[in-house]
Amino acid sequence: MTRDEFRNLLSQRLLVLDGATGTELAKRGMPQGVCPEKWVLENPQAIISTQGEYAGAGSDIVYSCTFGANPFKLEEFGLQDQVHEINRDLVKLSRKAVGENKFVFGDIAPTGQFIEPFGELSFDDAVAAYKKQVAGLLEGGVDGFVIETMMDIQEARAALIAVRELSDLPTMVTMTYGADGRTLTGTDPVTAVITLQSLGADAVGCNCSTGPKSMLECVKLMKTVATVPLVAKPNAGMPVLKDGKTVFDMSAETFGEFVPDFIKHGVNLMGGCCGTAPAYIAQIHKRSQDKTPVAPLQDRISAVSSARSSVFMGLDKPLTVVGERINPTGKKKLQAELREGSFALVRQYAQEQADLGANILDVNMGLSGIDENAMMRKAVALLSQISDRPLCIDTTNPDVMEQALRLYPGRALVNSISLEKERIEKTLPIAAKYGAMFVLLPLTDDGIPTTAKERTSVVEKILAEAKKYGYGVEDVTVDGLVMTISSEQEAASVTLDVVEWCAKTLKTNTIIGLSNVSFGLPQRDWVNSAFLAMAVSRGLSMTIANPSSQILMAMKYATDALTCRDKNMTTYVEMFAQAPDPTPTGPIGPSRGGKKTGEPAKERTPAEHCFDCVLKGDLDAISNALIAAMDTGVAPKILVDDSLIPAIQEVGSLFDQKKYFLPQLILSADTMRKGFEVLEPILQQSADKEEAAKEKIILATVKGDIHDIGKNIVGLMLRNYGFDVIDLGKDVAADAIIDAIRKSGARIAGLSALMTTTMTEMKEVIQAAKEQGIDTKFMVGGAVVDQAYADEIGADGYASDAMEAVRLAQRLIAG
């Protein structure tokens, strides 16, 4: 089946997927703690009967039993050298189960690792690992691929790139969202769709974590921006403990009642996840027979994304500001820092520009004397962690662009592609491979066209080439090419004519770099802001500018209001309601809570700088900051009590408010850990050191469960809050946990489970402890666990995330 055939089929009817596999295999005798893939190969009839029943219930597509068949997961069972064979043979079993009249999609799932830039596993190593799995699936004869249960957008990207570099078969990607509507690393459904469909996914959606009701809300959000069909695989409600077994609380009939709504709101492929069985799939098949699929509402969309947010462009959207400051050209201090390998100013400029209203951050590392490729990768990695603003990759080097786009965990904007031979032949295919939007520069090998007509002719030629790679006018933004009026006063009118033609005739986005127009003139802000207003009136949708210019940003908000891009003038009123009246000599600019943007910040003390390092996750600066603070006489104990601990507490508060997400939480925790490494030797020699022993806490993923990424994050945070964490690892038997509690004397034990088939082990541990007279407090967590389940099994508390685990541990100790 080709990708076009897949799309055509979905336009005709809903395709029914399969249901849960793990629980069905357990019914057929698969024990806990074994490698499911290996067990199935040794007991082939189990998967053949399972998938045969799903096919009989109406499944059009079944997933190969390869959820954990990537090198990292198989390594846990010593099977990492058999990746190819295991994947190949499991696909053949699925084909045997369903025959040639059903489709078999190769199932690809998480590695259990955090991937660069959010984790230690390099992105290229992740892609290489997934390629090993993809190669086996291809040899087995899959009809397509499904990348599922992804909690990290970067891992989903790695898997999708691996597929696309080896195959052109249809590929679906489904993410897993929590109760807050975001993935573990903070990606919302809209952002995920924008990123994945641009990278080449043929269908995007969600699976696991929630039942149909909650998942339907995610689907509604995704439909607004999806240019590809949507996928949904909800759980059968939520798990509950019944007669000592984990069951889901939604019947097949109730599950089926949601099917019409899923189809109505745009789902084109539907199946079931945890707790579903052939009866649930039969309900989907039955209730979808007379329903017509809803086609994607968008053919294309003008949007870019980071890992945690999206920005939309167009004449019906507020003017998009691309912050220009992360560019060493003309910035001696930034040049010096980059040559020393420091990113302090990059970090500072990113935060300042975001605070001042930049929607996108331009990143340029073009500087003599440095490795532009390496520095661009470092900049992209840093900015992806510390900022939610999408990036504009600004380089003329095709190799640098490819490395940046490959690593970037979103849909980037590329600056730029012209009709120059190297850019049109090398850069355009790279941008297309990674689904980036690009700035179209009407420039040729002969130079800059002087007239508007000549420039628009170049625009048309570049677009014709771009369309060969699947681009449309919505995927580009045309640079009007601003020249300085100090040498050619008519230059501004040429640019404005190009902007107007592109906006009104071509119906595409436009962008200008404001600073060029006023080069060589005094009081440049006045010229820049006036030119901005003129360009907006002609249809400008984006500008590259310095958002610290108060008059320029004020003009942006005013023109948004005047052109009805700022609906109900909400943003304008918010920005200026408390602002002082402008005067000819006074500052002009928007106000947030009465403070003018751009107003100089009060200089921070050395101790406050240490606080800021932890708060902002400045891993590179914390050591020197602490040393500098101690050099001014601040005692190490004071730095711990008044800077580091309050900072990590503030990080926790921001995490609770969903202003910070897991990447920032981990970065700040790592920064605090590094700070403690600096202070601890000094504290050990100082009378300031407290002699009280750290409170011990046991952590373990229960027997039969090999998932430990959540537990590891909890352990990291507990250590940063002063706990002595004894991590027993994963797949830990009850007696081993009890033995560790006895030997350590720990007053708290944390139990984790990700699977419905293993969550009952938590009850076994807690009951065993009570029967043996152990009064240790137990807290539980994991994707399948909630407070009701914790109460039911007699746990002393439930934590939904790492910060809540810290607070729960503190309460249990205090109580």
Side-chain angles (χ1 to χ4, degrees):
M1 178 169 55
T2 67
R3 297 171 71 183
D4 285 341
E5 289 170 345
F6 181 65
R7 186 73 175 257
N8 290 337
L9 187 57
L10 290 172
S11 69
Q12 300 167 25
R13 64 183 180 90
L14 179 128
L15 290 184
V16 181
L17 307 175
D18 60 11
T21 298
T23 49
E24 291 301 302
L25 293 177
K27 292 175 185 177
R28 290 162 172 80
M30 185 178 75
Q32 294 182 2
V34 301
C35 173
E37 291 76 18
K38 184 69 170 176
W39 185 87
V40 165
L41 288 174
E42 294 169 347
N43 300 272
Q45 193 55 40
I47 195 66
I48 290 172
S49 64
T50 295
Q51 294 189 327
E53 287 187 21
Y54 278 130
S59 292
D60 298 297
I61 298 174
V62 298
Y63 294 3
S64 62
C65 186
T66 53
F67 184 93
N70 62 68
F72 292 97
K73 286 297 183 183
L74 290 178
E75 186 177 13
E76 295 170 359
F77 301 97
L79 300 170
Q80 64 272 21
D81 295 331
Q82 300 178 44
V83 173
H84 189 96
E85 296 86 348
I86 288 173
N87 280 278
R88 178 196 63 203
D89 295 345
L90 286 170
V91 171
K92 291 181 177 180
L93 284 180
S94 292
R95 180 66 67 196
K96 184 176 182 180
V98 302
E100 297 296 330
N101 294 324
K102 302 287 185 178
F103 299 112
V104 176
F105 273 41
D107 194 354
I108 299 171
T111 62
Q113 311 287 315
F114 274 127
I115 295 175
E116 181 189 17
F118 307 128
E120 295 182 358
L121 178 62
S122 83
F123 187 77
D124 286 336
D125 285 348
V127 174
Y130 278 126
K131 278 187 173 181
K132 292 179 180 179
Q133 183 177 12
V134 170
L137 294 169
L138 283 169
E139 187 175 336
V142 292
D143 299 301
F145 295 90
V146 57
I147 299 164
E148 64 151 320
T149 321
M150 286 290 173
M151 298 175 283
D152 175 10
I153 191 68
Q154 189 68 328
E155 188 164 34
R157 289 185 70 254
L160 184 53
I161 288 172
V163 170
R164 283 287 163 256
E165 289 184 344
L166 293 180
S167 168
D168 199 39
L169 290 175
T171 304
M172 308 184 292
V173 187
T174 56
M175 306 293 294
T176 293
Y177 300 96
D180 62 350
R182 289 182 179 265
T183 67
L184 183 65
T185 51
T187 305
D188 63 273
V190 166
T191 295
V193 171
I194 290 169
T195 298
L196 295 169
Q197 66 189 12
S198 68
L199 194 58
D202 298 290
V204 179
C206 41
N207 76 288
C208 205
S209 285
T210 63
K213 185 176 181 180
S214 296
M215 189 169 287
L216 192 56
E217 297 307 310
C218 282
V219 166
K220 292 176 183 178
L221 291 172
M222 290 188 287
K223 191 63 178 180
T224 62
V225 297
T227 62
V228 297
L230 295 182
V231 189
K233 253 196 163 200
N235 292 342
M238 294 300 293
V240 295
L241 196 63
K242 186 176 181 181
D243 299 328
K245 294 183 179 181
T246 303
V247 297
F248 281 78
D249 61 4
M250 183 176 288
S251 68
E253 290 74 17
T254 303
F255 185 89
E257 291 173 2
F258 287 91
V259 173
D261 275 343
F262 274 99
I263 298 173
K264 173 184 175 183
H265 291 290
V267 164
N268 308 88
L269 302 104
M270 188 172 178
C273 204
C274 298
T276 60
Y280 292 75
I281 302 308
Q283 284 289 323
I284 298 174
H285 177 74
K286 173 184 176 182
R287 295 173 185 262
S288 62
Q289 290 305 295
D290 60 344
K291 301 294 186 297
T292 303
V294 178
L297 303 178
Q298 312 274 355
D299 288 328
R300 300 179 184 277
I301 190 165
S302 295
V304 291
S305 60
S306 68
R308 301 184 295 279
S309 70
S310 306
V311 172
F312 298 85
M313 293 83 86
L315 288 178
D316 59 338
K317 305 292 190 300
L319 182 74
T320 301
V321 176
V322 180
E324 68 180 10
R325 298 188 68 195
I326 306 176
N327 185 329
T329 304
K331 300 182 181 72
K332 292 183 178 180
K333 188 174 180 181
L334 179 58
Q335 291 174 4
E337 283 205 357
L338 292 177
R339 288 195 171 103
E340 293 173 358
S342 171
F343 283 82
L345 276 178
V346 171
R347 177 187 289 271
Q348 177 184 326
Y349 289 165
Q351 186 62 58
E352 288 177 351
Q353 290 184 108
D355 289 345
L356 293 168
N359 309 106
I360 299 170
L361 301 177
D362 185 83
V363 186
N364 184 304
M365 292 286 122
L367 178 64
S368 62
I370 69 170
D371 183 340
E372 184 185 0
N373 203 327
M375 295 297 278
M376 179 64 86
R377 281 183 61 90
K378 289 179 180 178
V380 168
L382 173 66
L383 295 172
S384 297
Q385 293 178 81
I386 68 170
S387 177
D388 67 352
R389 296 300 194 267
L391 299 185
C392 175
I393 308 301
D394 188 352
T395 180
T396 58
N397 187 318
D399 293 334
V400 173
M401 181 177 294
E402 171 141 29
Q403 288 298 308
L405 292 178
R406 190 174 184 83
L407 178 61
Y408 180 62
R411 187 191 195 195
L413 177 66
V414 163
N415 187 12
S416 56
I417 294 174
S418 67
L419 202 56
E420 294 166 290
K421 182 177 176 63
E422 182 176 67
R423 295 212 203 176
I424 203 72
E425 291 183 355
K426 294 184 178 181
T427 307
L428 179 58
I430 292 169
K433 175 181 178 179
Y434 296 100
M437 285 190 67
F438 70 86
V439 174
L440 189 160
L441 194 65
L443 182 69
T444 72
D445 287 315
D446 295 326
I448 300 172
T450 55
T451 68
K453 185 175 181 180
E454 289 171 336
R455 292 184 192 179
T456 56
S457 175
V458 175
V459 169
E460 290 178 316
K461 291 177 182 178
I462 297 173
L463 275 177
E465 286 299 311
K467 286 178 180 178
K468 297 176 183 178
Y469 293 92
Y471 278 105
V473 293
E474 296 87 351
D475 301 309
V476 306
T477 181
V478 178
D479 191 329
L481 272 177
V482 179
M483 309 302 291
T484 177
I485 61 171
S486 61
S487 61
E488 184 65 45
Q489 197 166 359
E490 293 79 14
S493 64
V494 174
T495 298
L496 293 175
D497 288 344
V498 173
V499 167
E500 184 170 30
W501 179 84
C502 289
K504 296 182 179 178
T505 302
L506 202 56
K507 308 295 185 185
T508 192
N509 297 295
T510 53
I511 189 169
I512 57 174
L514 279 177
S515 58
N516 287 351
V517 73
S518 62
F519 184 78
L521 296 176
Q523 297 292 319
R524 295 177 64 185
D525 270 358
W526 296 105
V527 177
N528 292 346
S529 58
F531 186 57
L532 175 64
M534 295 170 70
V536 169
S537 73
R538 304 283 285 271
L540 185 71
S541 48
M542 305 176 68
T543 182
I544 301 177
N546 183 350
S548 66
S549 170
Q550 296 178 28
I551 184 172
L552 188 147
M553 292 304 290
M555 191 65 69
K556 171 256 192 302
Y557 294 116
T559 55
D560 283 345
L562 289 166
T563 55
C564 299
R565 294 180 177 185
D566 178 6
K567 304 302 181 186
N568 300 316
M569 295 176 287
T570 303
T571 302
Y572 182 86
V573 172
E574 176 189 340
M575 297 299 294
F576 291 96
Q578 303 299 320
D581 292 334
T583 65
T585 58
I588 302 174
S591 170
R592 298 179 191 272
K595 178 183 176 181
K596 296 179 289 296
T597 59
E599 183 177 296
K602 180 182 177 182
E603 187 174 350
R604 304 286 281 173
T605 66
E608 289 173 335
H609 182 44
C610 297
F611 175 97
D612 293 341
C613 286
V614 174
L615 183 67
K616 297 175 182 178
D618 196 341
L619 200 61
D620 296 330
I622 184 64
S623 297
N624 288 337
L626 289 167
I627 292 169
M630 288 187 286
D631 286 345
T632 65
V634 183
K637 182 65 166 57
I638 297 298
L639 288 171
V640 171
D641 292 344
D642 294 352
S643 295
L644 302 190
I645 291 177
I648 201 69
Q649 289 173 336
E650 177 64 15
V651 169
S653 177
L654 292 169
F655 182 78
D656 289 341
Q657 298 171 49
K658 303 305 176 187
K659 294 179 180 178
Y660 270 21
F661 297 94
L662 190 60
Q664 296 103 312
L665 185 69
I666 293 176
L667 195 59
S668 289
D670 283 343
T671 303
M672 185 169 176
R673 174 190 49 77
K674 188 174 181 179
F676 272 123
E677 290 175 357
V678 173
L679 296 177
E680 194 166 24
I682 303 171
L683 287 168
Q684 287 176 347
Q685 301 171 9
S686 169
D688 290 334
K689 178 174 173 61
E690 292 183 355
E691 297 299 331
K694 292 181 178 179
E695 189 71 47
K696 292 183 172 66
I697 182 168
I698 299 286
L699 289 184
T701 301
V702 295
K703 181 181 177 180
D705 203 315
I706 58 173
H707 303 87
D708 65 352
I709 191 167
K711 170 186 64 64
N712 293 343
I713 296 167
V714 169
L716 172 67
M717 295 308 298
L718 286 168
R719 288 187 184 95
N720 277 287
Y721 274 80
F723 286 88
D724 180 6
V725 177
I726 303 170
D727 191 340
L728 303 182
K730 54 197 172 189
D731 189 18
V732 185
D735 57 354
I737 297 172
I738 299 299
D739 186 53
I741 292 172
R742 288 188 183 281
K743 289 179 179 178
S744 66
R747 293 198 289 163
I748 306 176
L751 307 178
S752 174
L754 188 71
M755 301 163 61
T756 57
T757 54
T758 60
M759 59 193 292
T760 54
E761 284 294 317
M762 292 177 166
K763 182 179 180 181
E764 298 298 322
V765 175
I766 294 171
Q767 283 184 339
K770 290 180 179 179
E771 289 170 0
Q772 296 179 41
I774 295 174
D775 61 358
T776 293
K777 302 289 186 182
F778 285 92
M779 58 186 200
V780 298
V784 294
V785 182
D786 59 14
Q787 185 62 58
Y789 185 77
D791 294 340
E792 191 171 350
I793 64 175
D796 297 284
Y798 158 75
S800 60
D801 55 53
M803 281 310 305
E804 178 55 31
V806 171
R807 295 191 181 95
L808 175 57
Q810 290 171 332
R811 290 197 301 270
L812 292 175
I813 290 298

